[in-house]
């Protein structure tokens, strides 16, 4: 049986990955972080702070809903 253990990442690394994936999808679709913040109903600074420290699960789920992608895509688990 093959070992399929996922390497552990720090909270900050995971936050950067989610942030980078969200920004890339926004750019592909012609949207901005301001647009996403408005859709979710939060301040853009809240999103930016989360991208540098720890992205709450609710933010990942809300972003995946408005970007119409699975949460796995945002956390980079689809690779």
């Amino acid at each position: 049986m093959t070992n399929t253990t996922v390497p552990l990442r720090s909270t900050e690394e995971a936050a950067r990955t989610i942030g980078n994936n969200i920004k890339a999808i926004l750019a592909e679709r012609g949207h901005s972080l301001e647009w996403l913040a408005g859709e979710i109903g939060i301040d853009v600074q809240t999103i930016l702070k989360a991208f540098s420290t720890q992205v709450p699960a609710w933010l990942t789920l809300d972003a995946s809903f408005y970007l119409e992608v699975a949460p796995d895509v945002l956390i980079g688990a689809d690779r």
Side-chain angles (χ1 to χ4, degrees):
M1 184 177 254
T2 340
N3 184 355
T4 58
T5 304
V6 177
L8 297 176
R9 297 183 290 177
S10 73
T11 303
E12 291 82 12
E13 288 173 320
R16 277 192 303 274
T17 297
I18 293 169
N20 290 337
N21 290 338
I22 288 173
K23 288 175 185 175
I25 293 168
L26 285 168
E28 287 171 9
R29 299 191 180 172
H31 292 299
S32 65
L33 272 176
E34 290 78 10
W35 172 84
L36 182 60
E39 292 295 308
I40 295 173
I42 60 174
D43 187 71
V44 73
Q45 294 303 318
T46 302
I47 295 176
L48 291 172
K49 182 178 178 188
F51 288 173
S52 64
T53 57
Q54 180 177 2
V55 179
W58 66 264
L59 179 54
T60 303
L61 294 172
D62 282 359
S64 70
F65 174 80
Y66 289 107
L67 295 172
E68 299 176 340
V69 297
D72 291 358
V73 172
L74 299 183
I75 63 172
D78 64 331
R79 296 178 189 177

